[in-house]
Structure formats: C-alpha cells, structure tokens
Amino acid sequence: MQPKHEKFNGSEGEVRLITVAPAHFHAALLQKSMLRQLNYNVNVYATEGPELDNYLNLINSFNTREHNPTYWNPKVYTGNDFFEKMLSEKNGNVVVLAGNNKLKTDYILRSVGAGLNVLADKPMAIDEASFEQLKNAFTLSAKNDVLLYDIMTERYNFINILSRVLMQDKELFGTITKGTPENPAVEMESVHHFYKIVSGNPLTRPAWYYDVEQQGEGIVDVTTHLIDIVNWQCFPEVALDYKKDVKVTDANHSATPITLEQFRLSTKVEEFPDYLHKYVKDSVLYVYANGNISYQVKDVNVGIKVVWNYQAPNGTGDTHRTVINGTKATLLVLQGEEQGYKSKLYIKKGADATESAFRENIERAINDLKNIYPVSLKEAYDSMLEIEISPSMDDGHEAHFSKVAEKYFNFLITREMPEWEVPNMLVKYYITTTALEMARKKQPAF
C-alpha cells in the first residue's frame, strides 16, 4: 500500500515524475505544459547517449520558448544500473515510461511492485510473454494501491469524440451491425512512414526502432490506438473480458524492405547493427512493421490494418481510414488525397433508414451539436455528408498528451479510475499479442 503521505489531494507540485530511459519523444511531450499538480523537479534515470540528449533538449526548448515557457529542473542520473538506482531511491511517485519496448513491461512490473504509480506510453506489451507480465503488473498494482495506465491520446482527438457522440444517438446511428470476418462492421486502416520531415527537418529514428524485438512489430504497436478507439466508441464504458468477449479470428504480418542507404538517412547510423543482421537479406533489412487483425468483440466483427512504408510520395503523407457501420447510418473518418491528408468526418445512410428519416435525424443531431461545438453539415461525394469541424477544435496531437496526464492525475486524487479501464487495457493487449503469435505461426519473422 502507498504510505499515507503519498496519497494525492490535488495540491500544487504533489506529482513528482520519475522519467525512466526516455528514448521516445512522447516522454518529453508529457512535460510540454506545466500542469499545476506537477513538481518542477523531475528525476531522470537513463544511460548516456543521443536518446537522453534528445529528451533533455526538448525539455530545454520548452523551458526557453518565448510563449508560456516551462521551468522544469531535470535531475539526471546516468549509469548502467539506472533502473536499480531508481528503485532504490524512489525520488518521485509517478514513473513515466516511453522508449525501447523490449524491457518496458518488466520495468512496469517492477515499478508497481515497488509501490510506484506508472504512466506508460504504448505499447505496454509486445508479445505473449510480456502480456503475461502485464497481467501480473495489474494484479500487483491493485494490491499495492497504485495506478497503472497507458497513454491513449486518440480519445482526445475531436473527430473521435464527435463520432462517439453520434454513435450514441440511436435515432440517427441505430445500433452497430455485426458484420462478418470478410466484411467487418468496423474497419480501421492506418498508413505511416519511417522517414518523414517534421518541422522542416528529417525525423531521426534510433537504430533499434527497426528491431521488432525492441520496438515491437507494427501489429502490436500502432494497433493499440486503433483497438482502444474501437472499444471506447463501440462499447462505451463497458468492461470487456478478454477471456469471454473477444475472439481473434485471423492475423497476418509482412515486412517493409529498407535499404542501407534508407537506414542511414533515417537513423544517421552508417551500418546495420549486429542485432539487425538476422533480418538482413542481400543487404536489405526486412522490418515486420505491417499487419492486419480480424477479431470479434461481443460478436461484432472488427478489421484492423497497419502499414509502414519507408517514405510517402512527394505531396502526400500518412493516411487513415475508419468505417463504422450502424443499422441506420455509417460513420467514416477519411484522411487521404481527397482530404488533403487531413482527417475529415463523414456520414451516410444505413440499410435500415429511409433517406428522409436519415436526413431529418442528421440535421437534428447537427443542429443540437451546434449549441456545443462549431460544426456544420455539407454535401460530399459517394452519397456521403461531411460533418465540417472548425479548425479551432484541432489542438494538435501533442496537446493530447497533457490531457491524458490531467485525466490520470485526477484518477490519482479520486482513486476512481472507471472500472472498465483495466479490463479494456487487458483486452487491447490480448488482441495484439494473440494476433502476433497467430501471424508468426503462419509466417515466421526470421
């Protein structure tokens, strides 16, 4: 149990972060804003190297920016024993984990075992063995009265929020259909790129990012966001049981070829490290970053697909596609060429609605929503209507990290994390890790 003095009441500076091995920039994004509860002293434990330097440089950029600067004071310990040092010192009460995923689940388990709260970037498990560790971590966190939570930023994307609201309008949406494995009721597809330009500069990825044993395959990584949104939108506030409510019906994975020159451009590393050699054939690195999962939740068929290409063609970018079929309407989120690679929300009539009833209900719903949100309706294409959203509602992906943190810190105070959160986290990682094993049995990665 947490000592009494470690209980949270919302006072200023009571949350003392312990940032462990911040190899992913998401660790720094949690500190982009100075939330009232956060203590400005942050203890950082890591080995020396470019990943730690990048984290500290980002924190320094937040501290020195002209508008609304932060005032973080990182206290850094570097050494190969950084994790053991962190556990022995316990200079904080919330461990932040965002980086190399190979040991992340072990770090989670040992941190909650030591009586520390944990806020972890996805994925919290990348294979069946780490899923077993994660289950133990949730059991131990409950025993020690600490909170373990993953960073699901997509719940704070306004398009996802609005879709969820519309799905709960039964006159408009009806109920979600069941679909089939071949034609699922819910489809989500996400296309990403290893090499991209961010703020005018190429994004440098660590070499280990290309190692599926350290980063995890695509089928267990980005898919966590997609599955989380399926649960959150289609089964709102329902505690799902991965043993009873979920069935993975099919899964596949495939590799993206990366030449040495592409690897150099992306990582600034001249040669493939030794740990990648088993994935190299004829001087080309094969990264199992692509995958698809077919599964059922309470008999609703879902299809998830993730693709990683090396680089988007000029003038294009990442793409996304979501289709959720209701009996009276279908909701679509599209981010492709027609949308200028910006996500847009559409709706069209479902099988159980007449055209007049559908029009009447969508106009009613949008008129009601106008009292709360800056939205409107316009004709689109392929029998779809676009639900236009004011640009003012797009606060950007980076802003969502602070929103996740605020939600989590409030849980620390109230000790009232919704009962569905932990079961649904287990569902999410059960699906991804089960799908990975299924895909590997069909086609071994190496």
Side-chain angles (χ1 to χ4, degrees), residues 165-377:
V165 170
L166 292 170
M167 288 176 66
Q168 294 180 60
D169 185 333
K170 299 307 178 188
E171 289 299 312
L172 171 64
F173 183 75
T175 57
I176 193 164
T177 63
K178 300 296 185 184
T180 66
E182 296 75 25
N183 294 291
V186 182
E187 298 177 76
M188 289 192 180
E189 179 179 334
S190 189
V191 180
H192 302 266
H193 299 90
F194 286 111
Y195 183 82
K196 60 179 65 177
I197 304 298
V198 177
S199 300
N201 297 302
L203 176 65
T204 301
R205 298 194 185 272
W208 59 258
Y209 194 85
Y210 289 91
D211 181 4
V212 295
E213 292 185 63
Q214 298 186 67
Q215 172 61 24
E217 288 199 23
I219 204 171
V220 297
D221 185 13
V222 175
T223 52
T224 55
H225 280 306
L226 306 182
I227 295 167
D228 185 76
I229 288 300
V230 171
N231 292 344
W232 186 72
Q233 290 182 332
C234 301
F235 306 96
E237 300 182 22
V238 174
L240 300 168
D241 185 336
Y242 73 89
K243 295 178 181 178
K244 298 177 182 177
D245 298 326
V246 177
K247 180 182 179 182
V248 179
T249 57
D250 194 21
N252 297 283
H253 67 166
S254 62
T256 300
I258 305 291
T259 67
L260 181 58
E261 182 58 30
Q262 289 174 330
F263 181 80
R264 287 170 177 162
L265 282 171
S266 174
T267 64
K268 305 297 188 287
V269 175
E270 287 300 307
E271 302 294 336
F272 293 131
D274 289 345
Y275 56 75
L276 289 178
H277 284 175
K278 61 185 172 183
Y279 306 114
V280 176
K281 183 178 180 181
D282 298 327
S283 300
V284 175
L285 173 66
Y286 290 87
V287 185
Y288 274 81
N290 315 303
N292 60 276
I293 309 172
S294 296
Y295 68 97
Q296 297 169 345
V297 183
K298 290 186 176 291
D299 298 323
V300 173
N301 285 275
V302 181
I304 298 289
K305 182 178 181 180
V306 61
V307 175
W308 279 84
N309 297 321
Y310 178 71
Q311 185 176 7
N314 287 339
T316 69
D318 291 354
T319 63
H320 178 84
R321 176 177 176 269
T322 291
V323 180
I324 305 177
N325 290 290
T327 53
K328 296 181 179 180
T330 295
L331 282 163
L332 306 95
V333 179
L334 304 178
Q335 178 187 323
E337 183 178 358
E338 294 89 346
Q339 294 76 34
Y341 302 96
K342 301 281 188 181
S343 288
K344 293 187 177 182
L345 178 61
Y346 301 89
I347 192 167
K348 66 180 180 180
K349 186 183 80 67
D352 290 358
T354 64
E355 185 66 31
S356 59
F358 168 69
R359 289 277 176 165
E360 180 181 336
N361 280 307
I362 186 59
E363 288 170 4
R364 169 193 52 78
I366 295 302
N367 284 332
D368 288 346
L369 286 168
K370 283 180 179 178
N371 296 320
I372 311 170
Y373 304 120
V375 296
S376 59
L377 198 63

Side-chain angles (χ1 to χ4, degrees), residues 64-112:
T64 56
R65 68 191 176 208
E66 184 175 349
H67 178 66
N68 196 23
T70 56
Y71 46 95
W72 303 109
N73 178 34
K75 298 183 176 182
V76 182
Y77 174 84
T78 56
N80 291 331
D81 64 341
F82 67 89
F83 193 76
E84 287 71 21
K85 186 75 169 177
M86 183 278 287
L87 290 179
S88 67
E89 292 185 344
K90 285 191 187 178
N91 282 329
N93 46 32
V94 174
V95 173
V96 172
L97 292 167
N100 189 308
N101 298 315
K102 186 174 184 178
L103 294 175
K104 184 188 285 179
T105 321
D106 183 63
Y107 290 163
I108 289 170
L109 180 60
R110 293 171 66 188
S111 296
V112 298

